[in-house]
Amino acid sequence: MNKVYYRVGRHTYCVEFCDEVNSEKLIPSSDPFRLEEEPDASEPLLFTLKVDDTWRPSKKGTEIGQFDCGGNNHGVYKLEDGSYQILVSDVTGRHCCLMQCSSDFSTGSVCLNGNFTMRNFGLNNALMMMYAFAGADKNTVLMHASVIREDGKGYLCLGVSGTGKSTHTSNWLKWVPNTDLMNDDNPVVRITEDGVARVFGSPWSGKTPCYRNVEAPIGAFLQLKQAPYNKIVQQSPIEGFASLLPSCSVMKWDRRDYVGTCNTVSGILSLVPTYLLENLPDIDAVKMSYKAMTGKELKMG
């Protein structure tokens, strides 16, 4: 057995590779987050996931729903003891991973199937779900967002696919000096022990290979909406909640997960403002969002 430890968003988790077929080489996007040494025994683990192609569940659970993860629907099943089974399918619909985990997602086992690409997809998705659901009651969420960093603060662009999140952050990179991309799809957002809302890079960044072990206090959230004009307004706490919650990875049918996520989002909104930007994909939209969120004028040239 090969135990590999990772630290993401200041949470540590363990992946146990139990056979000779699978190894940490399956998940290269996690390399920047790998710990060189085993953590101190006193440090709590967010979760432990065993990877073993010989493992099989003793029984099949009852299907309770589908979880949309990166545009792919994964079947979710529940056993009588409250544990979950999740069948992960790749973009072509092929089954590439079966996971069973405890009700609080602190422990789990997976068996993988297929070629390297399928196994990579299956294990990455399993880890992403374990992280999101295990952290739900620990002031931690995985958020569907593109994150830009400027002057030491992280700014998160939210919105359903196709609303221009990546385009807007790309325009920030193009026109705002001294900015960098922290993550383009699934950053970690949490309230840390010092009471600060922070955003962290993660091993999961969608189609953009941005796997950076970086962090920053959150400056603001920006909900994007395409329009034939540019207009920005600060949202009320209720409007902000309606923007942030749909962007979080959450199972609404699981009380621990859903209540924990709602409490985390409410806590974040007490610390960080949210804005709605109706926009065109142009420099004027960048100037407008930059001024609203940072309080500074964007100086060109």
Side-chain angles (χ1 to χ4, degrees):
M1 180 182 296
N2 179 24
K3 293 185 178 181
V4 185
Y5 294 89
Y6 300 92
R7 185 172 290 132
V8 177
R10 299 191 188 179
H11 288 301
T12 301
Y13 58 87
C14 177
V15 183
E16 297 182 2
F17 294 96
C18 303
D19 55 46
E20 296 181 357
V21 177
N22 303 299
S23 72
E24 63 273 23
K25 293 180 181 179
L26 277 178
I27 45 175
S29 62
S30 292
D31 286 349
F33 306 88
R34 181 177 177 177
L35 299 181
E36 295 298 326
E37 298 181 355
E38 185 173 334
D40 189 273
S42 62
E43 181 177 347
L45 295 179
L46 182 64
F47 65 84
T48 299
L49 183 66
K50 294 183 178 181
V51 183
D52 184 358
D53 283 358
T54 67
W55 169 80
R56 294 294 184 274
S58 58
K59 60 177 65 176
K60 182 178 179 180
T62 302
E63 185 170 4
I64 59 173
Q66 296 281 323
F67 180 72
D68 184 355
C69 190
N72 302 283
N73 288 326
H74 304 327
V76 181
Y77 306 80
K78 199 167 187 179
L79 298 171
E80 293 180 357
D81 63 359
S83 58
Y84 282 101
Q85 292 172 343
I86 301 177
L87 183 60
V88 179
S89 302
D90 67 10
V91 293
T92 66
R94 296 175 297 181
H95 297 157
C96 55
C97 173
L98 175 61
M99 175 170 67
Q100 182 166 311
C101 44
S102 58
S103 59
D104 62 355
F105 289 84
S106 61
T107 59
S109 297
V110 300
C111 57
L112 305 176
N113 177 58
N115 57 28
F116 180 90
T117 301
M118 293 172 66
R119 290 168 179 268
N120 164 266
F121 184 90
L123 184 53
N124 259 326
N125 275 259
L127 289 170
M128 185 164 56
M129 288 185 285
M130 287 289 289
Y131 189 99
F133 303 147
D137 58 357
K138 299 174 179 62
N139 289 322
T140 303
V141 294
L142 267 181
M143 191 168 289
H144 184 49
S146 184
V147 193
I148 203 80
R149 182 169 55 176
E150 191 271 343
D151 196 22
K153 292 185 178 181
Y155 299 92
L156 289 84
C157 294
L158 313 174
V160 298
S161 297
T163 55
K165 297 184 298 298
S166 295
T167 298
H168 195 69
T169 52
S170 295
N171 285 341
W172 268 58
L173 290 170
K174 180 179 180 180
W175 287 312
V176 181
N178 302 316
T179 55
D180 64 309
L181 184 68
M182 297 180 65
N183 186 277
D184 199 37
D185 194 59
N186 277 287
V188 174
V189 175
R190 64 172 297 195
I191 302 173
T192 49
E193 295 80 1
D194 55 0
V196 176
R198 299 180 188 275
V199 59
F200 301 80
S202 81
W204 312 290
S205 188
K207 297 178 182 178
T208 304
C210 184
Y211 313 114
R212 304 182 61 202
N213 193 356
V214 292
E215 65 175 82
I218 300 174
F221 293 93
L222 185 67
Q223 177 75 34
L224 288 168
K225 182 179 180 181
Q226 291 182 340
Y229 53 84
N230 292 315
K231 177 183 177 181
I232 193 167
V233 294
Q234 184 169 349
Q235 295 182 306
S236 68
I238 294 177
E239 292 169 331
F241 189 88
S243 292
L244 264 61
L245 185 61
S247 297
C248 298
S249 297
V250 59
M251 293 193 298
K252 294 181 179 180
W253 56 79
D254 186 286
R255 178 174 175 79
R256 182 197 66 87
D257 182 25
Y258 188 65
V259 171
T261 300
C262 288
N263 288 340
T264 299
V265 169
S266 296
I268 292 169
L269 288 170
S270 70
L271 301 169
V272 181
T274 65
Y275 296 86
L276 171 64
L277 177 65
E278 299 174 278
N279 75 112
L280 294 162
D282 59 19
I283 190 171
D284 289 333
V286 173
K287 290 179 178 180
M288 188 175 288
S289 64
Y290 181 81
K291 181 178 181 179
M293 294 194 294
T294 69
K296 300 180 291 186
E297 296 282 352
L298 180 58
K299 299 178 179 179
M300 304 300 296

